[in-house]
Structures are given as C-alpha cells and as structure tokens.
Amino acid sequence: MTHQSSLPSNTRNKLVLRRTRKRFSPKVFIDRTIETTAIISLLITGFSGVGAIACWGMEIIETNANSNIIISGWQQQKNICLGAMLVSCSAFLGTALVGASFSVQRDKF
C-alpha cells in the first residue's frame, strides 16, 4: 500500500520548490560599490556645504560682535567644511569617471 496525497497530481507538482543559490557577481558588486560611493560623496558634499555656510554666518556674527578677534574658531571650522566639500566632490567625480569607463568597457565601443 502506497501513501497517496489528497492533493491532485497537478497541484503536487507545483508545490515542488527549488532553491537556487545566488552566485557572487563581481560586476554587480563593483557597480553597487561605485553607485554607493557616488551617492555618499554627494551627500557629504551637500552637508559640508551647509556646514560651511553656517560657519561663515557665525564667523560674520562673531566678528561684528567683537572686532578684536583676529582668527575665530568659526573660520577654522569653515575651512574644514570647505576642505571636506572639495574631497567629497573629487570622490564623486572619480567614481563617475570609473563608472563611465566600466560601462564603456562593457558595451565594447
């Protein structure tokens, strides 16, 4: 005596699930890394720009309040934010160049 399922035969065949393993694709990994780096560098550029503008405003307020200050802490913070903007903007341009070269290489122009 064999055990028969109460389901019809066509439904039994549909219930067989196959698990496939995802393969590691270096191309997908590189593309996602480039995309993530570009997005993060743009965000850092924007936030550093806002920080530089805020520090510039605080520097003006501090200078108008007390004219005896030669170099304020806000000026140094502004320069740090501007430097971070420059670095992150160049990182964005670099990732855009690398991403474009990979896409041209894949298309085989």
Side-chain angles (χ1 to χ4, degrees):
M1 202 155 113
T2 60
H3 183 299
Q4 292 290 329
S5 173
S6 62
L7 294 174
S9 63
N10 61 357
T11 311
R12 260 186 280 150
N13 293 336
K14 290 180 183 177
L15 291 177
V16 175
L17 300 175
R18 293 186 181 181
R19 296 182 88 185
T20 58
R21 273 184 98 174
K22 285 188 175 182
R23 290 187 175 178
F24 176 74
S25 175
K27 291 179 184 178
V28 172
F29 176 74
I30 290 171
D31 286 342
R32 287 187 181 168
T33 304
I34 289 171
E35 181 182 341
T36 303
T37 305
I39 291 170
I40 289 173
S41 64
L42 280 178
L43 286 173
I44 291 174
T45 301
F47 286 129
S48 297
V50 170
I53 291 172
C55 291
W56 181 46
M58 294 302 290
E59 179 187 356
I60 290 172
I61 291 170
E62 189 174 284
T63 303
N64 289 337
N66 189 358
S67 60
N68 295 332
I69 298 174
I70 297 171
I71 296 177
S72 68
W74 293 111
Q75 185 178 11
Q76 293 169 353
Q77 292 295 324
K78 178 184 72 173
N79 290 336
I80 290 170
C81 289
L82 290 174
M85 272 182 67
L86 180 66
V87 169
S88 60
C89 186
S90 64
F92 170 73
L93 292 175
T95 55
L97 180 65
V98 170
S101 67
F102 278 154
S103 68
V104 167
Q105 188 178 24
R106 256 185 273 129
D107 294 339
K108 295 180 182 177
F109 281 115

